[in-house]
Each structure stands twice: as C-alpha cells, then as structure tokens.
Amino acid sequence: MTDIRDDATTGFREAYGYEPTGLWSAPGRVNLIGEHTDYNLGFVLPFAINRRTVIALGIRDDTVIRVASEYADEVGAIDIAELSPNRLRGWAAYPLGVAWALGQFGADLGAVPGVDIYVASVVPVGAGLSSSAAIESSVAIALNEVWLLGLDRPTLAKVGQLAENKVVGAPTGIMDQSASLLGRRDSAVFLDCRSLEAQVVELGFAEAGLELLIIDTGVSHSHATGGYAARRASCEAGAVAMGVASLRDLTVDDLPLARASMDDETFRRVRHVVTENQRVLDTVAALRSSGPLAIGELLDASHRSMRDDFEISVAELDLAVEIAQSNGAIGARMTGGGFGGAAIALVPSGDISRLQVAIDGGFAEHAFRQPTTFTVNAADGASRDR
Ligand code: GLA
C-alpha cells in the first residue's frame, strides 16, 4: 500500500510538475457468490480485496481535466464542457467517464474546477477482479470531495456503473462499484441490488483457518462484447415470459412454471439466476450461523450452475475448480462475469502450497497457459489516503 501511494505521488509529480492536493484509493473486488444476479436486481456477496488503485489529484485553476497513468505513455486532456460518452476512448474513458457521469447525477459541471489525475494500481487487469471499478470508485470519491458534491457511496456506485455502461460500453450491473466503495475489512458486502441496501457480513476466514485463493486463468474476457450482453438479454426475455419486472421476482417455487413458459435455453438461464439468488441468501445465513466452513457446497453448486445452466465457464475455469476441489478446497467456483478471468477456492491455509503445485501441474498437463495464483484478504472500501 505504501509503495503504490508513493508511486502515485511520484507519477503525478513527473507527469504534471507539481505536488498533488491529495491521494484517494479504491480496491478491486472478488465475488464470493451471486453471479449475474446484480442486473436481475437480486443478491450478491462480493468483498473488496487488499489490492488497490490509488489516484493522486491536483486542482487546476481552469476547466481542463488531465489524466495520466502507468497504463499509457501520453497524458489525456479534455475540457470539462467537452465531456461526452462518445468522445472518450481507451483507459482514460474510465476516469473521464466518471467525471461525465457525475454530471448525470446532479453535479454542475459548469461550476467545478479542472483537475489533474494520476492513476497507479496493483489490481491485476483482466483477472475478473474489477480493476475498472477500482479506477471508477477512486476517481468518484476524489471528485465528490474536491468538487464538494456531497453524494453518498451508493450513489457514487451508480455513477461508476453509468460510466461503465455508457462510456466504456459494458452493460454491467452495480456489484463491482458497490463492493469497491462499501467493502469492510474481513467482511463481505451483502447487497440487495433492487433496494441497494447493503449489509456487512463477517467472513471469519482466518479464524476458521481458511484462505481465499484466486486462480487467474489468464484467459481474457470483455464484457463490452458478446456473451455477457447475450446472457443479460436472455434474462430479460425470461422475465417477460414470466410476466415479472425482473428475475428477482421469481423464487425456486416458480421454476416448474418457468420451464413450461419458455424455451429450454432461456429456462436454464433463468434457473441459474433464481437458484443463485437463493444460494446467496443461504451463504449469508450459513456464514452468520456456522461460519465459512459451512459454505463450501454452495460455492461448488454455484459453479455447476454457471457451467451447465448459464454456460459462462471455460475449460480452464472448470479445470481450476476441479483441481481445487480434489486438493483440499472446501469449495470453489469461477468468479465474475465469466468467459475467462479467475476462479476462487476457499482452502485450509495448510493446503495452499500443495494446491498451487497441483494447479500448475494440471494446467501443464492440459497444455493450458500457466495460471497465476495468489491469496486475497477482505479489505476496506474506497478511502482518502493523504
Ligand atoms: C461483471 C459485472 C458485474 C456482474 C458480474 C457477474 O463483473 O461487472 O456487474 O454482473 O460480471 O456477476
């Protein structure tokens, strides 16, 4: 953490030639359970992780926003009056998209000063750990503060989501930004994506002798194209066929009727969402009553549902999950939007190294690219750091 804050300060100084006004940071997230339920207005249980994006920011005396980062060589610059979704490109679309989206949530962009922003990050990109939400959330809390907007964190999550949807062009839900903004140390964020009511649920991994291992397959995915949007469309079709506003309104008892009301593929998409919502509720109940040792089967069932019903897994993710399950993990599943990215495994601490070796060996046997494996802890959400 200290290093990355220093990197942000140094980067800022080198890019702009003066000292930043302040530093803000926001974490990536991992989703423990509740996949593709957020845009169906259901339940999710993600947590913020101990890998953060830090931004250094300086206030200007004109109306220009400049953005620089370790992601790109050049410094991007645009006048605040010129911000619009179709003018923003590349990685700069994330921070500048947030500035634009704040205007959509009531900020008077004609009355705020320009800023210089430098982004430094240790959230792995493309691993399904929401490096983009970490940028959006850190920029959102920083601009909210220096532009004196007074927006609360659930609203800032919507700001980040709007930037992602309209500027980046990915039709994603509210989960990632909520986790990044609302996360708490050693806890998960239990979010009702309809009311946006969030509860903190203690994870208790360390007390139970468990660690959460990320297995990043390195298979790349983009939610701005293809499968993610297609799944979302199927969910909407399923809700229409059932005459409900969103799949959130269905329970497992409605599944027999759903089966008779739509084609088999749409039904399986619906069954995933409906059963996944129930698994989130069951996971929260199990964590509260018995602790994390009791959630393994729910994680495993979530993976099967994504593999067989929602069909968003890939061979590398299935292999990672299988190897984890047969090498000591109490539960494992792919995490995030799917079609690549990472799997998670909840593993007794003493079994982590053995599992890592087994994963490397198994991937080599299948001639899959070597995955990256590392453990994460649940961390606090976005903060002002200096
Ligand atoms: C991506 C999206 C989230 C969510 C997950 C799937 O991470 O950004 O909004 O839909 O996929 O659960």
Side-chain angles (χ1 to χ4, degrees):
M1 227 358 240
T2 311
D3 291 350
I4 179 81
R5 283 188 294 213
D6 292 343
D7 289 351
T9 308
T10 309
F12 184 96
R13 214 180 272 138
E14 280 168 8
Y16 304 121
Y18 67 99
E19 290 299 312
T21 312
L23 260 54
W24 290 259
S25 72
R29 67 96 187 91
V30 69
N31 191 16
L32 187 58
I33 195 162
E35 224 65 85
H36 287 259
T37 45
D38 60 354
Y39 56 78
N40 289 301
L41 306 187
F43 304 106
V44 292
L45 192 63
F47 61 86
I49 58 173
N50 54 329
R51 302 263 184 141
R52 299 179 86 83
T53 294
V54 177
I55 67 155
L57 179 145
I59 300 172
R60 298 171 57 88
D61 51 18
D62 58 14
T63 56
V64 170
I65 301 191
R66 292 193 293 178
V67 288
S69 77
E70 23 171 58
Y71 300 119
D73 292 336
E74 73 280 9
V75 176
I78 188 166
D79 194 278
I80 293 173
E82 307 285 307
L83 286 171
S84 84
N86 49 19
R87 293 206 47 179
L88 307 175
R89 293 279 174 277
W91 84 270
Y94 294 94
L96 295 175
V98 167
W100 166 80
L102 284 166
Q104 304 297 302
F105 279 85
D108 180 0
L109 294 186
V112 294
V115 291
D116 288 328
I117 292 174
Y118 187 89
V119 181
S121 182
V122 288
V123 184
V125 173
L129 299 176
S130 294
S131 55
S132 56
I135 300 178
E136 290 153 5
S137 301
S138 54
V139 171
I141 58 158
L143 291 179
N144 186 47
E145 186 175 332
V146 301
W147 283 352
L148 307 172
L149 303 178
L151 299 173
D152 61 14
R153 286 182 180 229
T155 306
L156 294 178
K158 291 189 200 166
V159 166
Q161 183 195 12
L162 186 68
E164 187 93 26
N165 292 170
K166 292 286 181 317
V167 181
V168 181
T172 48
I174 192 75
M175 169 169 72
D176 307 342
Q177 294 79 9
S178 300
S180 183
L181 284 154
L182 303 173
R184 284 272 182 284
R185 197 187 165 87
D186 296 328
S187 302
V189 178
F190 171 36
L191 183 71
D192 177 334
C193 299
R194 183 155 63 187
S195 67
L196 295 188
E197 190 200 322
Q199 294 176 39
V200 170
V201 178
E202 218 175 293
L203 289 167
F205 290 164
E207 294 81 346
L210 297 173
E211 288 193 66
L212 204 283
L213 185 72
I214 306 279
I215 306 145
D216 176 9
T217 62
V219 178
S220 69
H221 64 287
S222 160
H223 299 325
T225 52
Y228 186 96
R231 293 306 179 280
R232 196 170 171 154
S234 292
C235 291
E236 279 157 19
V240 168
M242 290 297 283
V244 290
S246 73
L247 294 184
R248 160 63 181 273
D249 296 317
L250 303 180
T251 70
V252 285
D253 294 339
D254 296 312
L255 288 176
L257 178 61
R259 187 192 286 278
S261 310
M262 57 193 77
D263 64 85
D264 179 63
E265 186 183 281
T266 310
F267 170 67
R268 287 184 293 109
R269 307 299 188 244
V270 169
R271 181 166 60 186
H272 164 72
V273 173
V274 171
T275 57
E276 185 79 349
N277 274 330
Q278 188 58 48
R279 281 186 289 270
V280 175
L281 299 176
D282 292 347
T283 302
V284 170
L287 282 169
R288 285 179 171 155
S289 64
S290 320
L293 287 164
I295 69 170
E297 172 49 30
L298 290 160
L299 301 182
D300 294 346
S302 171
H303 185 76
R304 288 194 298 273
S305 180
M306 288 187 283
R307 184 191 62 198
D308 303 336
D309 274 357
F310 218 59
E311 296 182 281
I312 54 172
S313 190
V314 295
E316 289 85 344
L317 288 167
D318 291 340
L319 181 67
V321 167
E322 278 158 31
I323 297 175
Q325 286 163 342
S326 47
N327 285 274
I330 68 148
R333 59 186 285 277
M334 55 145 282
T335 185
F339 307 102
I344 56 171
L346 192 55
V347 188
S349 305
D351 290 332
I352 291 276
S353 341
R354 179 167 70 90
L355 173 53
Q356 284 176 304
V357 171
I359 288 168
D360 286 351
F363 271 62
E365 230 170 77
H366 282 74
F368 289 157
R369 170 177 161 178
Q370 279 299 295
T372 315
T373 55
F374 53 94
T375 59
V376 290
N377 300 317
D380 282 327
S383 53
R384 176 156 189 176
D385 295 343
R386 256 177 216 165

